[in-house]
Amino acid sequence: MSQMTGTQSIRFDREIYINSYASVVGQKEGEGPLGAQFDQVEEDPLYGCNTWEEAESRFQTEAARRAAAKAGLSMEEIRLIYAGDLLAQCSASTFGISSLERPLYGLFGACSTMGEALSMASMAVAGGYADPVLALTSSHFGSAEKEFRFPLDYGSQRPLSASWTVTGSGACVVGTKKGKVRIAGLTTGKIVDYGLKDSQNMGACMAPAACDTISRNLADFGWQPGAYDRIVTGDLGFVGQQILFDLLEQEGWDIRGQHMDCGMMIFDPASQDTHAGGSGCGCSASVLAAELLPRLAAGEWKRLLFVPTGALMSKVSFYEGQSVPGIAHGVILEHVEG
Amino acid sequence: MSQMTGTQSIRFDREIYINSYASVVGQKEGEGPLGAQFDQVEEDPLYGCNTWEEAESRFQTEAARRAAAKAGLSMEEIRLIYAGDLLAQCSASTFGISSLERPLYGLFGACSTMGEALSMASMAVAGGYADPVLALTSSHFGSAEKEFRFPLDYGSQRPLSASWTVTGSGACVVGTKKGKVRIAGLTTGKIVDYGLKDSQNMGACMAPAACDTISRNLADFGWQPGAYDRIVTGDLGFVGQQILFDLLEQEGWDIRGQHMDCGMMIFDPASQDTHAGGSGCGCSASVLAAELLPRLAAGEWKRLLFVPTGALMSKVSFYEGQSVPGIAHGVILEHVEG
């Protein structure tokens, strides 16, 4: 039986593992620093489909199939799926998962969704409710720009604080079958709203939530930042990272020695013109599968806090002058010896 | 420890209770057959706010506060919240839950969300991850029409198969503290897509998913429909109900003696001009809190299958000519003696 820990955290007493992981990304991601590590780089942004949205669904389906196959599972053996994405009414997941014909709980946590999906999946497995469980998310540059910003044909200039939505999907199979990485605990995020309204500076909107979840995680487990080899946020980018450091310093924490950000890892800002970095549900999910989990599995890192961050906004909330609150969910990942 | 049952279901071995429940609805719902049973009827559709969206958030916040208060809990004592709604990027929940300052996992299951939220909440409590947990959802006629259909000012004529989105929210506190209704088990739904594209006939789009989940529930538990005093779908309405009966008959099940539908209960079609019935996440959630749970608590019914149904669509998927797939999540609710 698991244990509630502190005020927002869970420690799993039962051993829960990540059995496999897969990533499928677009061409630009394939040209970035992690290009060789993705399972598949699809050069056609439409992935043979008619729309960005259908293409995003296909990225998700392919990541799901690859993750299941790498765990030696047929899709029928997946007991339960947790999935979500950035689009209105999570439609990339709807039309992606539909073809897999598995039981599904849909999630929305904006770019924090991979943290939420892994949290739900590990709870389901640890509780004996489902085993194995698939957790996955996706995003697509074309569908996200259409959903949140301007028609691509406008060629709108983007401020340096803006991020570039990752085209891709990451998927993990979570189960009790022993693997090389275990999910040891969780910290559930709260919505944190500093009243910021600039959707072209989402790093600043999300940094307070990342600070809240990281400091709560450290307090709940009674750890110093050094208990982690790495603390990896989702898509704060270069602007958000500095704000995170400043906010955490006010709380008495210095994570400069441990911090990485998926959004800062997936593109090369010098050559790829991606400004603050990558973003989107697919950013942290694909970097998790391509870079973080392999290094944990190899024992290069022993313990990592994965903290995807989400900016909770819609077109309507933006037009109505609402702020952009943030949320971040923490997942403790540990290398398993032997 | 809970047990996986059949291929899509869970049976809780640990006793999980619904400790309290509350509903807050709009004027039209207050004028319907269940009017006297809601905790609060708010006559101002804007609920003192500037927009439909802000009003929907406030309905959700008020339902949450009332449910916590009825369980004798301060909001700080709620360990975890599962919430969702119909709007793009679940923004009613974002701006509703934000002010409650509690850990949150956001969900999207369209109008099936109350079933999903109760499922997640009962899993979290049964697993020892959180206790007590709040499950809630909302919808609003004004925000939903704006999100999915036409500007209200057009006064568009609606076909008789169309439903009327309920303005309101329902919330439940789930915990281990003994209560009069327990959550005995779950059946997770799959996305079911019959290729229907008429968003003005969502009952027809969702009935196949309801059929799938109900027949799977009966098969997984090895029960006949008579094992339930009531099998209550979310918002199939008058058109969807007939389709559900026909589809279940093909599977060898007759639930005519047990079936009720929240969408058919909340309005009086003869006097309220609501066509096929009520719909929206707030429909099944508020009827659950106002009618189903009180009758279960009183022992009038001993066992009920609550099966909210969701139509998974967005404006974009509609414009792109996609179908409207359905999903339905089943929750087994039982009266507790003594």
Side-chain angles (χ1 to χ4, degrees):
Chain A
M1 189 58 72
S2 61
Q3 278 179 248
M4 288 180 250
T5 300
T7 60
Q8 290 175 225
S9 300
I10 295 161
R11 187 195 306 265
F12 290 119
D13 289 346
R14 193 170 174 197
E15 298 278 306
I16 307 306
Y17 301 95
I18 295 188
N19 295 134
S20 69
Y21 34 92
S23 56
V24 182
V25 300
Q27 181 182 11
K28 191 180 183 85
E29 293 70 23
E31 292 165 351
L34 306 179
Q37 296 164 234
F38 299 111
D39 293 279
Q40 183 183 335
V41 176
E42 171 55 45
E43 303 214 334
D44 174 10
L46 281 169
Y47 209 155
C49 303
N50 292 314
T51 66
W52 309 124
E53 291 75 18
E54 281 180 57
E56 184 176 339
S57 294
R58 190 163 173 203
F59 275 97
Q60 204 174 104
T61 312
E62 287 305 309
R65 290 194 193 284
R66 281 177 175 270
K70 285 167 93 172
L73 298 165
S74 68
M75 197 49 68
E76 292 66 37
E77 292 174 284
I78 298 290
R79 173 85 187 193
L80 181 58
I81 296 178
Y82 289 97
D85 60 88
L86 280 176
L87 300 182
Q89 287 80 36
C90 295
S91 58
S93 302
T94 293
F95 295 100
I97 303 299
S98 174
S99 64
L100 304 179
E101 297 186 357
R102 306 309 305 142
L104 165 75
Y105 289 120
L107 306 178
F108 182 75
C111 305
S112 76
T113 304
M114 195 61 191
E116 183 176 354
L118 279 180
S119 301
M120 300 290 98
S122 53
M123 285 198 231
V125 172
Y129 310 134
D131 184 11
V133 177
L134 188 67
L136 79 160
T137 67
S138 65
S139 54
H140 190 295
F141 179 77
S143 64
E145 291 292 304
K146 183 162 116 184
E147 179 79 24
F148 294 106
R149 299 182 191 98
F150 301 100
L152 291 184
D153 299 5
Y154 283 11
S156 295
Q157 194 169 2
R158 303 156 60 246
L160 289 173
S161 60
S163 53
W164 187 280
T165 305
V166 163
T167 297
S169 173
C172 294
V173 173
V174 179
T176 52
K177 188 181 166 195
K178 191 165 182 188
K180 290 179 178 166
V181 178
R182 66 183 284 258
I183 300 178
L186 309 173
T187 298
T188 314
K190 289 190 291 199
I191 297 176
V192 180
D193 187 355
Y194 273 28
L196 300 172
K197 296 187 176 187
D198 184 359
S199 68
Q200 300 268 29
N201 187 355
M202 292 197 298
C205 297
M206 299 186 292
C211 170
D212 196 68
T213 299
I214 293 168
S215 58
R216 177 49 50 199
N217 175 273
L218 295 170
D220 280 354
F221 286 89
W223 288 342
Q224 292 294 315
Y228 292 106
D229 294 298
R230 291 290 185 277
I231 295 174
V232 187
T233 48
D235 48 4
L236 294 181
F238 293 91
V239 177
Q241 182 189 47
Q242 192 54 54
I243 299 171
L244 174 64
F245 288 161
D246 293 348
L247 291 172
L248 278 170
E249 206 153 52
Q250 292 170 25
E251 305 277 324
W253 304 110
D254 180 359
I255 65 161
R256 285 179 179 80
Q258 289 79 34
H259 186 252
M260 296 173 79
D261 183 73
C262 299
M264 295 166 65
M265 297 159 72
I266 196 166
F267 296 123
D268 172 18
S271 67
Q272 293 193 291
D273 196 29
T274 46
H275 298 350
S279 65
C281 300
C283 177
S284 58
S286 62
V287 171
L288 176 73
E291 168 78 359
L292 307 182
L293 288 170
R295 291 175 77 165
L296 272 163
E300 195 178 330
W301 298 328
K302 302 298 184 197
R303 187 189 284 148
L304 181 150
L305 182 61
F306 178 58
V307 196
T309 40
L312 301 168
M313 58 170 294
S314 75
K315 267 181 295 204
V316 174
S317 70
F318 179 79
Y319 292 147
E320 290 179 348
Q322 293 274 18
S323 57
V324 182
I327 194 162
H329 296 299
V331 181
I332 302 172
L333 300 171
E334 290 180 352
H335 171 70
V336 178
E337 298 291 342
Chain B
M1 189 59 70
S2 61
Q3 279 179 245
M4 289 181 249
T5 301
T7 60
Q8 290 175 224
S9 300
I10 296 161
R11 188 195 307 264
F12 290 118
D13 289 346
R14 193 169 173 196
E15 298 278 305
I16 308 304
Y17 301 96
I18 295 187
N19 295 133
S20 69
Y21 35 92
S23 56
V24 182
V25 300
Q27 182 182 12
K28 190 178 184 87
E29 292 71 23
E31 292 166 352
L34 307 179
Q37 296 165 234
F38 298 111
D39 292 278
Q40 182 183 335
V41 175
E42 171 56 44
E43 303 214 334
D44 173 11
L46 280 169
Y47 208 156
C49 302
N50 293 314
T51 66
W52 307 124
E53 291 75 17
E54 281 180 57
E56 184 177 339
S57 294
R58 188 162 175 204
F59 275 98
Q60 205 174 103
T61 312
E62 288 304 311
R65 290 193 194 284
R66 282 177 175 269
K70 285 167 93 172
L73 297 165
S74 68
M75 197 48 69
E76 291 67 37
E77 292 175 285
I78 298 290
R79 173 85 186 193
L80 182 57
I81 296 179
Y82 289 96
D85 59 89
L86 279 176
L87 300 182
Q89 287 80 35
C90 294
S91 58
S93 302
T94 294
F95 295 100
I97 303 298
S98 176
S99 64
L100 304 179
E101 298 187 356
R102 305 309 306 143
L104 165 75
Y105 288 120
L107 307 178
F108 182 76
C111 305
S112 76
T113 304
M114 195 61 189
E116 183 176 354
L118 279 180
S119 300
M120 299 289 99
S122 53
M123 285 199 231
V125 172
Y129 311 133
D131 184 9
V133 177
L134 188 66
L136 79 161
T137 67
S138 65
S139 54
H140 190 295
F141 179 77
S143 64
E145 290 291 304
K146 184 161 114 185
E147 179 78 24
F148 294 106
R149 297 180 192 98
F150 300 99
L152 290 184
D153 299 5
Y154 283 11
S156 295
Q157 193 169 3
R158 303 157 61 247
L160 289 173
S161 60
S163 53
W164 186 280
T165 304
V166 163
T167 298
S169 173
C172 293
V173 173
V174 179
T176 52
K177 188 181 167 195
K178 191 166 182 186
K180 290 179 179 165
V181 178
R182 66 183 284 259
I183 300 179
L186 309 172
T187 298
T188 313
K190 289 190 289 198
I191 297 176
V192 180
D193 187 356
Y194 273 28
L196 299 172
K197 297 188 176 186
D198 184 358
S199 68
Q200 300 267 27
N201 187 355
M202 292 197 297
C205 297
M206 299 186 293
C211 169
D212 195 68
T213 299
I214 292 167
S215 57
R216 177 50 48 197
N217 175 272
L218 295 170
D220 281 353
F221 286 88
W223 287 343
Q224 292 294 314
Y228 292 105
D229 295 299
R230 291 289 184 279
I231 295 173
V232 187
T233 48
D235 47 5
L236 293 182
F238 293 91
V239 178
Q241 182 189 46
Q242 192 53 54
I243 299 172
L244 174 65
F245 289 160
D246 292 347
L247 290 172
L248 278 169
E249 207 153 53
Q250 291 171 24
E251 306 277 324
W253 304 110
D254 180 359
I255 65 161
R256 285 179 179 79
Q258 290 79 32
H259 186 252
M260 297 173 79
D261 182 73
C262 298
M264 294 166 65
M265 297 159 72
I266 196 165
F267 296 123
D268 173 16
S271 67
Q272 293 192 290
D273 195 29
T274 45
H275 298 348
S279 65
C281 300
C283 177
S284 58
S286 62
V287 171
L288 176 72
E291 168 77 359
L292 307 182
L293 288 171
R295 291 175 78 165
L296 272 163
E300 194 177 330
W301 298 327
K302 303 298 184 197
R303 186 189 286 148
L304 181 150
L305 181 61
F306 178 58
V307 196
T309 40
L312 301 169
M313 59 169 295
S314 76
K315 267 181 294 205
V316 174
S317 70
F318 180 78
Y319 292 147
E320 290 180 348
Q322 292 275 18
S323 57
V324 182
I327 194 164
H329 297 298
V331 181
I332 302 172
L333 300 171
E334 291 180 352
H335 171 70
V336 178
E337 298 291 343

